[in-house]
Structure formats: C-alpha cells, structure tokens
Amino acid sequence: LSTVITRTGGDASGVVTFAPTTGIMSYTPASSEPGGSNVTVIYQVCNTLVSPQVCASATVTITVPLAGDADGDGDPDNTDPSKNDACVWGPNQVLANTLLTWRNADCDGDGVTNYAEATGADGDVSTTGDNTNPKSACSLNLSQVTLVATSTGDCDGDGVMDKDEINGLD
C-alpha cells in the first residue's frame, strides 16, 4: 500500500479503525462515552511511495448516539452486561427509565413484579427499608405477591420449592 492512515490524537476513547484501501473510518464508542456527546479523532494520511513522504492531518468530530435500551431494563445498551436479557443489568440501571414490560415481569420468579420489589411495599424507591431484590427469589415481601411464583429454589432449606410455598401448594 502507498497510503498509511494513523490515528494521532483526539479525545475519543472508543475503538477507531481505518479501512486501508478505502480510508473509511469506523468508530465504536466506549461505554463511558455518554450518548449525545461529541468526541474527536485526529488522524494523519501519508503517501509512502514518495520521498519525503507527503502527509496531511485532519480532525473528525463524532456525535455519539444515545445507547438505547433494547431489553427495557433501564440500563443503556452501552453499559448493560446483557443488552437483550431484561433480567441482567448493571449498576447503571435507572429505575425511572425501565419499560412496563420490565416493571411487570418477575426476573427471580418469586411472584413479585420487578418494580414492586425495587420500590417496596410503600412504592417509594428512596425508602430502602422495604425494598427487595428483583434478582433474588429469597428477597420478597409476601404481601406484594401478585403473580404465580415460578422459582424452583428452596430459600429456607426445608426441601419444599419456593414456588410451592409462595403459591400455597405445600
């Protein structure tokens, strides 16, 4: 090849690639780059067939798109550990951004909706004393059971599955 393209700077922290034959640049944003922000990539193009080499530099400004939330769990796709599984989310989950499908689902199978667990018996996420963990079937307020429990675990170790105890089938 007689043309070499090299990234030389900029504040973009994602992955920059250049197609060597076309010069087309591709950019994959880092999870730490918030959607809607602008980042820059500075690059240099050099013709290596001549001596001395002829080079030129340029700066590209990229607007990082909003990440979206394919599974509706309130954790943007760019930070979600499993962007297509609503029952897997990370510390970047924002409860206010969850979709109704996530809110009404029961990730841990204890018969309590995810939203009811996250907001507790008083419906207030900020009063954490009565909030339970939507990822743990062993963490629930029995008064909030509104769905058929499906958990096959045995939280209290008595040999009876949680779903049978919660649904009253034991």
PDB file of all heavy atoms in Angstrom, residues 23-40:
ATOM      1  N   GLY A  23      -9.897   4.048   3.129  1.00  0.00           N
ATOM      2  CA  GLY A  23      -9.723   5.173   4.044  1.00  0.00           C
ATOM      3  C   GLY A  23     -10.936   5.434   4.921  1.00  0.00           C
ATOM      4  O   GLY A  23     -10.951   6.373   5.707  1.00  0.00           O
ATOM      5  N   ILE A  24     -11.954   4.611   4.810  1.00  0.00           N
ATOM      6  CA  ILE A  24     -13.157   4.809   5.615  1.00  0.00           C
ATOM      7  C   ILE A  24     -12.850   4.506   7.077  1.00  0.00           C
ATOM      8  O   ILE A  24     -12.277   3.475   7.419  1.00  0.00           O
ATOM      9  CB  ILE A  24     -14.308   3.920   5.106  1.00  0.00           C
ATOM     10  CG1 ILE A  24     -14.730   4.375   3.715  1.00  0.00           C
ATOM     11  CG2 ILE A  24     -15.498   3.957   6.067  1.00  0.00           C
ATOM     12  CD1 ILE A  24     -15.769   3.491   3.058  1.00  0.00           C
ATOM     13  N   MET A  25     -13.252   5.463   7.928  1.00  0.00           N
ATOM     14  CA  MET A  25     -13.029   5.317   9.359  1.00  0.00           C
ATOM     15  C   MET A  25     -14.298   4.781  10.011  1.00  0.00           C
ATOM     16  O   MET A  25     -15.405   5.199   9.679  1.00  0.00           O
ATOM     17  CB  MET A  25     -12.691   6.671   9.998  1.00  0.00           C
ATOM     18  CG  MET A  25     -12.391   6.583  11.474  1.00  0.00           C
ATOM     19  SD  MET A  25     -12.066   8.189  12.221  1.00  0.00           S
ATOM     20  CE  MET A  25     -13.729   8.744  12.490  1.00  0.00           C
ATOM     21  N   SER A  26     -14.140   3.843  10.948  1.00  0.00           N
ATOM     22  CA  SER A  26     -15.253   3.329  11.747  1.00  0.00           C
ATOM     23  C   SER A  26     -14.959   3.629  13.205  1.00  0.00           C
ATOM     24  O   SER A  26     -13.798   3.619  13.635  1.00  0.00           O
ATOM     25  CB  SER A  26     -15.408   1.825  11.568  1.00  0.00           C
ATOM     26  OG  SER A  26     -15.715   1.523  10.228  1.00  0.00           O
ATOM     27  N   TYR A  27     -16.021   3.879  13.958  1.00  0.00           N
ATOM     28  CA  TYR A  27     -15.838   4.207  15.373  1.00  0.00           C
ATOM     29  C   TYR A  27     -16.860   3.460  16.216  1.00  0.00           C
ATOM     30  O   TYR A  27     -18.059   3.484  15.945  1.00  0.00           O
ATOM     31  CB  TYR A  27     -15.987   5.713  15.605  1.00  0.00           C
ATOM     32  CG  TYR A  27     -15.719   6.102  17.041  1.00  0.00           C
ATOM     33  CD1 TYR A  27     -14.433   5.977  17.566  1.00  0.00           C
ATOM     34  CD2 TYR A  27     -16.727   6.553  17.871  1.00  0.00           C
ATOM     35  CE1 TYR A  27     -14.169   6.289  18.874  1.00  0.00           C
ATOM     36  CE2 TYR A  27     -16.468   6.878  19.191  1.00  0.00           C
ATOM     37  CZ  TYR A  27     -15.192   6.742  19.688  1.00  0.00           C
ATOM     38  OH  TYR A  27     -14.921   7.056  20.996  1.00  0.00           O
ATOM     39  N   THR A  28     -16.362   2.769  17.244  1.00  0.00           N
ATOM     40  CA  THR A  28     -17.213   2.118  18.231  1.00  0.00           C
ATOM     41  C   THR A  28     -17.013   2.845  19.553  1.00  0.00           C
ATOM     42  O   THR A  28     -15.916   2.808  20.122  1.00  0.00           O
ATOM     43  CB  THR A  28     -16.839   0.629  18.390  1.00  0.00           C
ATOM     44  OG1 THR A  28     -16.930  -0.005  17.114  1.00  0.00           O
ATOM     45  CG2 THR A  28     -17.756  -0.051  19.381  1.00  0.00           C
ATOM     46  N   PRO A  29     -18.052   3.551  20.032  1.00  0.00           N
ATOM     47  CA  PRO A  29     -17.895   4.330  21.264  1.00  0.00           C
ATOM     48  C   PRO A  29     -17.586   3.451  22.471  1.00  0.00           C
ATOM     49  O   PRO A  29     -18.018   2.300  22.541  1.00  0.00           O
ATOM     50  CB  PRO A  29     -19.259   5.007  21.448  1.00  0.00           C
ATOM     51  CG  PRO A  29     -19.968   4.856  20.159  1.00  0.00           C
ATOM     52  CD  PRO A  29     -19.387   3.663  19.472  1.00  0.00           C
ATOM     53  N   ALA A  30     -16.852   4.015  23.408  1.00  0.00           N
ATOM     54  CA  ALA A  30     -16.602   3.344  24.684  1.00  0.00           C
ATOM     55  C   ALA A  30     -17.865   3.460  25.534  1.00  0.00           C
ATOM     56  O   ALA A  30     -18.645   4.402  25.376  1.00  0.00           O
ATOM     57  CB  ALA A  30     -15.421   3.994  25.408  1.00  0.00           C
ATOM     58  N   SER A  31     -18.082   2.507  26.444  1.00  0.00           N
ATOM     59  CA  SER A  31     -19.277   2.548  27.290  1.00  0.00           C
ATOM     60  C   SER A  31     -19.293   3.780  28.182  1.00  0.00           C
ATOM     61  O   SER A  31     -20.334   4.223  28.626  1.00  0.00           O
ATOM     62  CB  SER A  31     -19.381   1.282  28.142  1.00  0.00           C
ATOM     63  OG  SER A  31     -18.267   1.171  28.998  1.00  0.00           O
ATOM     64  N   SER A  32     -18.123   4.371  28.417  1.00  0.00           N
ATOM     65  CA  SER A  32     -18.046   5.554  29.271  1.00  0.00           C
ATOM     66  C   SER A  32     -18.413   6.845  28.541  1.00  0.00           C
ATOM     67  O   SER A  32     -18.541   7.892  29.172  1.00  0.00           O
ATOM     68  CB  SER A  32     -16.630   5.681  29.846  1.00  0.00           C
ATOM     69  OG  SER A  32     -15.701   5.814  28.782  1.00  0.00           O
ATOM     70  N   GLU A  33     -18.573   6.781  27.232  1.00  0.00           N
ATOM     71  CA  GLU A  33     -18.917   7.979  26.470  1.00  0.00           C
ATOM     72  C   GLU A  33     -20.435   8.152  26.441  1.00  0.00           C
ATOM     73  O   GLU A  33     -21.151   7.330  25.867  1.00  0.00           O
ATOM     74  CB  GLU A  33     -18.367   7.893  25.043  1.00  0.00           C
ATOM     75  CG  GLU A  33     -16.871   7.966  25.016  1.00  0.00           C
ATOM     76  CD  GLU A  33     -16.280   7.737  23.640  1.00  0.00           C
ATOM     77  OE1 GLU A  33     -16.867   7.010  22.828  1.00  0.00           O
ATOM     78  OE2 GLU A  33     -15.192   8.282  23.402  1.00  0.00           O
ATOM     79  N   PRO A  34     -20.915   9.195  27.090  1.00  0.00           N
ATOM     80  CA  PRO A  34     -22.366   9.371  27.167  1.00  0.00           C
ATOM     81  C   PRO A  34     -22.980   9.683  25.808  1.00  0.00           C
ATOM     82  O   PRO A  34     -22.378  10.364  24.978  1.00  0.00           O
ATOM     83  CB  PRO A  34     -22.531  10.556  28.121  1.00  0.00           C
ATOM     84  CG  PRO A  34     -21.241  11.298  28.021  1.00  0.00           C
ATOM     85  CD  PRO A  34     -20.186  10.269  27.719  1.00  0.00           C
ATOM     86  N   GLY A  35     -24.185   9.160  25.580  1.00  0.00           N
ATOM     87  CA  GLY A  35     -24.895   9.424  24.343  1.00  0.00           C
ATOM     88  C   GLY A  35     -25.178  10.906  24.183  1.00  0.00           C
ATOM     89  O   GLY A  35     -25.428  11.620  25.139  1.00  0.00           O
ATOM     90  N   GLY A  36     -25.108  11.370  22.945  1.00  0.00           N
ATOM     91  CA  GLY A  36     -25.363  12.774  22.652  1.00  0.00           C
ATOM     92  C   GLY A  36     -24.143  13.669  22.782  1.00  0.00           C
ATOM     93  O   GLY A  36     -24.202  14.848  22.467  1.00  0.00           O
ATOM     94  N   SER A  37     -23.019  13.099  23.233  1.00  0.00           N
ATOM     95  CA  SER A  37     -21.810  13.918  23.375  1.00  0.00           C
ATOM     96  C   SER A  37     -20.996  13.881  22.081  1.00  0.00           C
ATOM     97  O   SER A  37     -21.170  13.018  21.239  1.00  0.00           O
ATOM     98  CB  SER A  37     -20.954  13.402  24.538  1.00  0.00           C
ATOM     99  OG  SER A  37     -20.461  12.102  24.247  1.00  0.00           O
ATOM    100  N   ASN A  38     -20.104  14.843  21.924  1.00  0.00           N
ATOM    101  CA  ASN A  38     -19.207  14.890  20.773  1.00  0.00           C
ATOM    102  C   ASN A  38     -17.819  14.466  21.193  1.00  0.00           C
ATOM    103  O   ASN A  38     -17.344  14.852  22.268  1.00  0.00           O
ATOM    104  CB  ASN A  38     -19.139  16.307  20.180  1.00  0.00           C
ATOM    105  CG  ASN A  38     -20.428  16.684  19.495  1.00  0.00           C
ATOM    106  OD1 ASN A  38     -21.124  15.850  18.955  1.00  0.00           O
ATOM    107  ND2 ASN A  38     -20.748  17.964  19.508  1.00  0.00           N
ATOM    108  N   VAL A  39     -17.169  13.659  20.351  1.00  0.00           N
ATOM    109  CA  VAL A  39     -15.782  13.258  20.567  1.00  0.00           C
ATOM    110  C   VAL A  39     -15.010  13.526  19.277  1.00  0.00           C
ATOM    111  O   VAL A  39     -15.599  13.626  18.200  1.00  0.00           O
ATOM    112  CB  VAL A  39     -15.667  11.766  20.968  1.00  0.00           C
ATOM    113  CG1 VAL A  39     -16.347  11.509  22.307  1.00  0.00           C
ATOM    114  CG2 VAL A  39     -16.245  10.842  19.909  1.00  0.00           C
ATOM    115  N   THR A  40     -13.703  13.649  19.404  1.00  0.00           N
ATOM    116  CA  THR A  40     -12.883  13.924  18.224  1.00  0.00           C
ATOM    117  C   THR A  40     -11.837  12.842  18.011  1.00  0.00           C
ATOM    118  O   THR A  40     -11.355  12.223  18.957  1.00  0.00           O
ATOM    119  CB  THR A  40     -12.163  15.285  18.332  1.00  0.00           C
ATOM    120  OG1 THR A  40     -11.325  15.265  19.491  1.00  0.00           O
ATOM    121  CG2 THR A  40     -13.154  16.434  18.423  1.00  0.00           C
TER     122      THR A  40
END
